[in-house]
Amino acid sequence: MPLADAKQSDAPAKRERAHAGAVRVVAPARLHLGFLDLNGDLRRMFGSIGLAVDVPRTELVLKRSQTFKGEGPDHARALATLRKLADAYKLPAGYEVKVTSAIPAHAGLGSGTQMALAAGAALMTLEGIDHIPSRLGEMVNRGARSAIGMAAFEQGGFIVDGGRGELDRAPPILVRADFPPAWRALLVMDASTAGVHGEDETNAFAALPPLPADAAAHICRLVLMQLAPGLMEEDIAAFGDALTEIQKIVGNHFAGAQGGSPWTSPGVGRVVGALRAAGGVGIGQSSWGPTGFAFAPSQEIARRLYDSAIEVARREGLEILIAEGRNRGASVEKIANT
């Protein structure tokens, strides 16, 4: 949705300004599990595989104010979105945002998209403006390569998008399915390292050679004939084997931009290796990392895997989280002004 179009929509905002108090938004992190096609000879690029998870998460409360002000982790990102949208919709007041929790920045968990969408959805809801997360994401410059962050915000679950084509819009969502409720993801977190981001990310993508077409074709076959069916039939062995193979192909392709390793954080790679040795499946790194992951078929087995690797993680200065898949999108609710 172009900003010029948005500026025509200030009338509904003015009608609703008498409505109430504040808005709370809770948005899920997302794992980026790999790309479908980094070759591009079919005139589409990328194609992403993703999963919404319940932790970590971004939570904020927005209310009107005489000025723009914020507090809490990563609130500057929220304020930037609020200023941009307030200008686009010609909203007369300022806003106060309080961020009570934030997905770690540059960890491969979609922090920027979730913060922007959370702030944007809070503003739209507070002012009574109809909105669609994908269009809102485009307005705040999200979805340049992937739509899974926007889909995670809107719907949650397991997501596959169709990559960027010739149209100037976010990629279409091809698959959206519930993640099996019993399954767990173990996330290996390294707070001391940041994944490639910003201009460095743009330059890294530009420098990567095309993935061979046969490798891209193999990934697409793995997704269509093993990964997605394994998830839908709750066959974690099939799901895990496919994901590990996809991550091997994509990780090796990106290694040149990550110091020659498929792992941004070598320590994360060692801990994920320990989880795999103890029985974890579907191992890999989310996006540019440093967050790594492994999957387990139940909370009990996830806890056992956690116990088997936590001492290794602590020696590396890392943290392990046990996450559930989140099969719904962000929660957005009006609350009393505080």
Side-chain angles (χ1 to χ4, degrees):
M1 178 178 183
L3 292 184
D5 293 346
K7 291 180 180 179
Q8 299 173 10
S9 303
D10 58 330
K14 291 178 180 178
R15 274 201 305 271
E16 298 292 338
R17 285 191 69 83
H19 284 191
V23 175
R24 176 185 290 119
V25 181
V26 179
R30 65 97 183 101
L31 298 178
H32 191 289
L33 303 177
F35 286 110
L36 299 179
D37 192 339
L38 293 166
N39 179 277
D41 63 354
L42 298 179
R43 296 189 298 177
R44 300 196 77 87
M45 276 291 287
F46 308 117
S48 293
I49 312 160
L51 173 67
V53 291
D54 67 335
V55 291
R57 64 187 189 179
T58 288
E59 181 172 356
L60 59 80
V61 173
L62 181 72
K63 60 184 179 182
R64 298 186 187 93
S65 174
Q66 294 303 309
T67 60
F68 286 92
K69 56 185 177 179
E71 63 177 282
D74 218 12
H75 71 269
R77 284 191 183 189
L79 284 174
T81 294
L82 294 170
R83 287 190 175 100
K84 185 169 189 175
L85 293 176
D87 179 66
Y89 285 94
K90 298 182 179 179
L91 300 172
Y95 297 90
E96 178 179 348
V97 61
K98 181 177 182 180
V99 181
T100 54
S101 65
I103 298 162
H106 313 311
L109 296 170
S111 61
T113 295
Q114 298 309 305
M115 183 64 78
L117 291 177
L123 179 62
M124 300 292 102
T125 301
L126 188 66
E127 301 298 5
I129 303 171
D130 290 338
H131 65 283
I132 300 170
S134 60
R135 296 295 185 221
L136 185 59
E138 290 172 358
M139 288 178 66
V140 293
N141 301 321
R142 312 311 299 182
R145 300 179 187 89
S146 168
I148 60 172
M150 292 182 288
F153 186 92
E154 185 172 11
Q155 305 176 63
F158 171 82
I159 304 147
V160 180
D161 78 39
R164 293 285 298 206
E166 297 177 340
L167 299 177
D168 186 20
R169 62 179 59 169
I173 301 303
L174 306 181
V175 176
R176 190 275 164 200
D178 278 357
F179 189 73
W183 290 10
R184 297 292 184 267
L186 291 100
L187 310 183
V188 183
M189 314 282 290
D190 183 348
S192 68
T193 304
V196 177
H197 59 278
E199 186 177 350
D200 288 341
E201 181 182 20
T202 300
N203 293 337
F205 272 112
L208 284 173
L211 184 71
D214 59 349
H218 183 46
I219 291 173
C220 291
R221 184 178 177 216
L222 285 168
V223 170
L224 187 62
M225 300 305 294
Q226 189 172 5
L227 184 74
L231 179 131
M232 293 178 183
E233 294 180 348
E234 300 192 16
D235 180 348
I236 198 168
F239 173 86
D241 287 349
L243 182 53
T244 299
E245 179 67 13
I246 291 165
Q247 281 281 315
K248 180 180 178 181
I249 297 168
V250 175
N252 287 338
H253 186 67
F254 279 87
Q258 298 179 155
S261 169
W263 304 98
T264 295
S265 166
V268 167
R270 288 189 285 271
V271 174
V272 171
L275 290 170
R276 185 181 190 184
V281 301
I283 67 163
Q285 174 180 284
S286 182
S287 188
W288 290 100
T291 301
F293 54 77
F295 289 87
S298 69
Q299 175 68 24
E300 179 184 3
I301 294 174
R303 188 69 205 186
R304 191 184 311 153
L305 292 171
Y306 174 95
D307 291 342
S308 74
I310 189 58
E311 290 306 318
V312 177
R314 287 171 177 161
R315 287 196 297 271
E316 298 278 359
L318 308 180
E319 180 182 10
I320 302 175
L321 301 179
I322 299 176
E324 299 181 25
R326 182 178 171 105
N327 289 325
R328 63 189 190 283
S331 66
V332 182
E333 59 175 339
K334 292 182 179 180
I335 60 173
N337 206 341
T338 58

